[in-house]
Amino acid sequence: TLKKKMAAFTCFSYAWALGGPLATKAHIQFDDLVRGLFSRVPIPLAETTFQYCCEPTEKMVKIINWNKLVPEFVYDKELPFFSLVVPTVDTVRYSKLLEICLDVEKSVFFTGETGVGKSVVIQSLLT
């Protein structure tokens, strides 16, 4: 139903908008808050809310682990080394979040350690 879809997307949005910027260690505590506020959203208990995403279907929204969205890496010897994107849970997750924000014309500020793939994630989505 529409109510269930909206609840799932609101939960996902809430978790990432308010909890995404938190340190990874704080995600466990924030996960407790999210699960309390959105108790009707069937988020699996195996991991934190941040390990799952919403995949809409025609009739419902599937809550699936980001791991299931990671494609197999295919090496292309013609590409320069720094153009290679090795898909990981993080590259898939941040690519999807970036895509969601760009679809609704929202600004995005990627931060992180040098060499973690911020530029490559952005470039691969924009090309």
Side-chain angles (χ1 to χ4, degrees), residues 13-82:
S13 300
Y14 182 89
W16 281 101
L18 299 177
L22 297 174
T24 305
K25 291 178 184 177
H27 282 178
I28 294 170
Q29 290 175 314
F30 193 78
D31 179 63
D32 291 338
L33 174 67
V34 172
R35 288 177 189 276
L37 292 172
F38 298 95
S39 58
R40 293 186 178 178
V41 177
I43 304 163
L45 294 172
E47 299 178 84
T48 70
T49 305
F50 299 97
Q51 303 307 318
Y52 298 94
C53 67
C54 298
E55 283 292 312
T57 64
E58 211 171 292
K59 294 184 179 182
M60 58 183 267
V61 174
K62 291 182 184 178
I63 308 290
I64 60 172
N65 194 300
W66 286 106
N67 288 323
K68 296 191 188 288
L69 300 177
V70 179
E72 185 177 326
F73 174 69
V74 179
Y75 176 68
D76 182 351
K77 63 182 179 182
E78 301 298 319
L79 285 176
F81 177 76
F82 289 105

